[in-house]
Amino acid sequence: MIVFFDFRQALHAPVRELHNGEWVAYNEVPERAACISRHFSSIAGPEDHGMAPLLRVHDRDYVEFLRAAHGEWVAAGRAGDVIGYTFPVVQRRPLSLTRIDAKAGLYAFDAATPITADTWSSAYWSAQTALSATGCAAKPGMGVAFGLCRPPGHHAGRNYMGGYCYLNNAAIAARHAQGLGFSRVAVLDMDYHHGNGTQDIFYDDPDVFFVSIHGDPQKDYPFFWGHADEQGGSGAVGSTLNIPLPHGTQIDKYRVALDFALRSIANWGADFLVLSFGADTFEDDPISNFRIRREDFPVLSSDISKLGLPTVILMEGGYHVAALGENVAAFIQGFSNGE
Ligand code: OKP
Ligand code: ZN
């Protein structure tokens, strides 16, 4: 399996995030990517596809904000990471506000997504990693490739960040696959948290099927999205499928949900699969509540490989750093078994 990663993805290192009224150490640490990469003997650097594929998903003003935010923060005399404190929950619209404080709130839905001096570089190369892996999976005879994306992407929307995510790598990959000639692209999101950004980007688009298996948002972040009744906008009803599962879910029930997701993808007639893979379904993950064991991961990936679709696997979450490399390697290994 070819693995893509760029060292600049590890530069982004926010100090802290706001959680339950307290500042806590940032969970999405650079070491996550490092410990995964150590489980692969050869790693390819991504090609630079430039800005165009990013702008097929994200608004230009949002991308410009991401790129310039930390510089504007420093120019305003601030120290530390950019974090907003005023969020427009009603009548949000593209105001041409100039204060960085205002923009930091306009373009975010939470306070878990700080911008550092290196965030743009890391997010940009994470997206390039997704693009290169997609191009590789799309080649006849290749079948599957792994983009070691970090920072992750699935919570980021067209013009907002959130949940440690800035650029939506999976959505950028899906649009890229379309550009390479695939007309029925499915996104399967297996991160513990619902991929609200990816869902939002494709909600009214009948040509991309978004399926997510995740912790029930009644109990878990991101709370406001990922409920079973969210099935796609008018003109695209049925092109979103949400499968929320309760705390404590183990491999047996998870596998039933995955089987349903895979049959739905096959019935929809997918010709390319983007897999948003989070290892935070692991039993000891510090911020999640499923009970998937290390030996379960290759069972899941083996099930997915039986779809027989060209597949790009993109890294999302997974926060038990000591076990993360092994868990991801086990998952990737199960995929390769069928090759
Ligand atoms: C990102 B991904 C932890 C509370 C949760 C944000 C979670 C983002 C998860 N202090 N805050 O989907 O793995
Ligand atoms: Zn997650």
Side-chain angles (χ1 to χ4, degrees), residues 3 21 30 40 57 61 100 132 137 155 165 213 215 218 235 308 319 324 331:
V3 184
F40 296 93
V57 167
D61 61 317
I100 183 60
S132 285
H155 296 300
C165 300
I213 304 169
Q218 292 282 355
Y319 305 97
L324 185 59
F331 183 79

Side-chain angles (χ1 to χ4, degrees), residues 68-109:
H70 193 266
E72 293 177 25
W73 184 255
V74 172
R78 311 276 158 64
D81 304 336
V82 182
I83 302 186
Y85 61 85
T86 308
F87 304 92
V89 295
V90 292
Q91 297 190 26
R92 181 168 172 270
R93 58 200 173 96
L95 295 161
S96 43
L97 299 166
T98 52
R99 278 192 58 162
I100 183 60
D101 323 71
K103 289 194 271 185
L106 177 64
Y107 292 117
F109 71 84

Side-chain angles (χ1 to χ4, degrees), residues 154-155 191-193 280 317 319:
H154 72 151
H155 296 300
D191 186 276
Y192 179 79
H193 305 93
D280 45 7
Y319 305 97

Side-chain angles (χ1 to χ4, degrees), residues 33-53:
C35 71
I36 295 168
S37 71
R38 283 196 288 273
H39 280 78
F40 296 93
S41 52
S42 89
I43 295 197
E47 274 174 46
D48 189 353
H49 299 70
M51 293 293 290

Side-chain angles (χ1 to χ4, degrees), residues 17 19 24 27 112 154-155 163-164 191 193 221 280 287 317 319:
E17 60 184 274
H19 181 63
V24 301
N27 274 292
H154 72 151
H155 296 300
Y164 316 148
D191 186 276
H193 305 93
Y221 183 96
D280 45 7
I287 69 168
Y319 305 97

Side-chain angles (χ1 to χ4, degrees), residues 209-271:
F209 187 31
F210 175 75
V211 186
S212 181
I213 304 169
H214 49 269
D216 191 337
Q218 292 282 355
K219 293 270 181 72
D220 274 298
Y221 183 96
F223 303 117
F224 310 106
W225 310 282
H227 303 271
D229 64 344
E230 297 161 26
Q231 298 175 349
S234 57
V237 177
S239 74
T240 291
L241 173 62
N242 280 303
I243 309 175
L245 299 174
H247 281 189
T249 293
Q250 301 180 4
I251 184 64
D252 53 340
K253 298 266 173 52
Y254 192 97
R255 215 172 162 205
V256 172
L258 179 63
D259 183 62
F260 182 71
L262 294 173
R263 275 187 289 119
S264 304
I265 288 167
N267 291 339
W268 184 77
D271 60 3

